[in-house]
Amino acid sequence: MTNLDNIKLKELMKIEPESMSKQEYESFVEEFKKSQLLLPVEIYSNNDVNEPLSFKPVTIEENGCKCIPLFTDNEELKKGNPPVSTIAIFMKDLKDMLENAFEIDEIMINLSSEYTMCIDLNSFFDLFEVKNDPNNWIFDKARPLNQEVKVYYREEKPLMKKQAVDGIYSSKDPFKASVNMYFDDHIPYLNVLILPKNTKTVYLGGMIDPETSCDILLAPETEFEFVSQEDEHTMLWKCVNQKFYDN
């Protein structure tokens, strides 16, 4: 078996994506892009003695998605009760291999680990195009919504409402929310955020579990207008501006 050194990558994978600093995110991208991971494959023959053996990646079904499993090292590989055959492949070579793989939805790294990471295929390709602009590093991945959606943000105290100026709340920091209404439902105050069509968001759902982490990121200076007090603990807001993208 191939011995791989992905210690730094594994350490970075322990950090939840929405909690990564710019430096940590850039380190993760750098490590991931140059990494060589173990890819389970199916070996087959074309029944032609003059042709070499060929292979194709093993795929698995996970939550209705077709995934390609990858492993950082032999230790992680053994946890997953792996197929017999694996190859060590650089991520740039995997990217080239998957350019036209329309049937693949995402890749999954260390699927039996406590720190499993899933990356949808478009985000995987995007990692090879990340710019080192300190003003938009993770928001290069932001995409406009194709329809209005609601996301949710909980607080121990209703600070959004208290800090709003003339009914408008905004923060200089990136804003984290969840598509799961019941995420952290032990926290008493619920802010329901209406994101109109074309609001730019970074969706992390392909990389993290929405049951345990916020999966929506909004750029700094996103403005929310207070709409109504639905009940004692529930406030309704609407996104009305994203100054971050004005330039």
Side-chain angles (χ1 to χ4, degrees):
M1 285 190 172
T2 304
N3 291 318
L4 302 178
D5 181 8
N6 288 304
I7 294 174
K8 186 174 181 180
L9 178 64
K10 290 182 72 174
E11 287 300 311
L12 290 165
M13 286 173 59
K14 295 178 181 179
I15 306 171
E16 293 185 351
E18 75 274 18
S19 300
M20 282 186 175
S21 66
K22 173 182 177 291
Q23 183 177 359
E24 288 168 338
Y25 181 78
E26 289 181 344
S27 294
F28 166 76
V29 172
E30 180 183 357
E31 286 298 316
F32 181 77
K33 286 166 62 176
K34 70 182 183 183
S35 67
Q36 189 179 25
L37 303 182
L38 293 174
L39 172 68
V41 295
E42 296 178 11
I43 306 293
Y44 61 93
S45 170
N46 294 319
N47 296 319
D48 186 335
V49 295
N50 295 317
E51 290 290 330
L53 292 176
S54 300
F55 70 88
K56 63 179 180 180
V58 167
T59 60
I60 59 174
E61 294 287 337
E62 187 78 15
N63 298 323
C65 295
K66 182 173 283 190
C67 309
I68 288 180
L70 294 162
F71 300 90
T72 52
D73 50 52
N74 291 324
E75 179 183 351
E76 295 293 342
L77 179 66
K78 291 174 183 176
K79 292 179 184 178
N81 190 22
V84 174
S85 301
T86 61
I87 62 170
I89 187 169
F90 286 102
M91 291 302 94
K92 176 62 170 63
D93 294 333
L94 181 64
K95 171 184 176 290
D96 294 340
M97 181 191 300
L98 298 179
E99 285 286 358
N100 297 310
F102 300 108
E103 74 280 7
I104 303 299
D105 297 303
E106 56 188 37
I107 64 173
M108 183 179 292
I109 308 170
N110 294 347
L111 60 89
S112 297
S113 168
E114 179 183 355
Y115 304 105
T116 298
M117 177 171 283
C118 297
I119 306 176
D120 68 76
L121 202 59
N122 287 334
S123 296
F124 174 58
F125 293 150
D126 286 347
L127 290 176
F128 291 85
E129 300 175 6
V130 170
K131 304 176 181 63
N132 291 322
D133 186 336
N135 295 316
N136 64 6
W137 58 284
I138 198 168
F139 297 105
D140 282 342
K141 295 171 56 178
R143 298 289 184 268
L145 295 171
N146 58 18
Q147 63 182 13
E148 179 180 288
V149 301
K150 290 181 180 178
V151 296
Y152 306 93
Y153 172 66
R154 291 184 178 270
E155 301 176 291
E156 294 288 351
K157 297 180 180 180
L159 295 179
M160 279 186 67
K161 187 175 181 182
K162 183 178 180 179
Q163 295 172 0
V165 177
D166 296 328
I168 300 293
Y169 174 84
S170 180
S171 173
K172 293 182 179 180
D173 298 318
F175 193 94
K176 297 186 290 186
S178 176
V179 297
N180 177 10
M181 180 179 182
Y182 302 102
F183 172 66
D184 273 352
D185 59 1
H186 62 283
I187 298 177
Y189 290 94
L190 174 64
N191 296 282
V192 181
L193 312 174
I194 300 172
L195 305 182
K197 180 180 178 180
N198 293 322
T199 301
K200 291 185 177 180
T201 68
V202 177
Y203 178 58
L204 300 170
M207 299 174 68
I208 63 174
D209 182 355
E211 297 296 322
T212 59
S213 302
C214 289
D215 52 3
I216 292 290
L217 278 181
L218 296 164
E221 299 182 285
T222 296
E223 295 184 347
F224 296 96
E225 182 179 31
F226 181 72
V227 176
S228 63
Q229 183 85 32
E230 299 294 283
D231 58 41
E232 182 182 355
H233 290 89
T234 306
M235 282 73 68
L236 183 65
W237 302 80
K238 183 176 182 179
C239 178
V240 292
N241 194 14
Q242 291 187 292
K243 293 182 178 179
F244 182 88
Y245 300 106
D246 287 348
N247 295 330

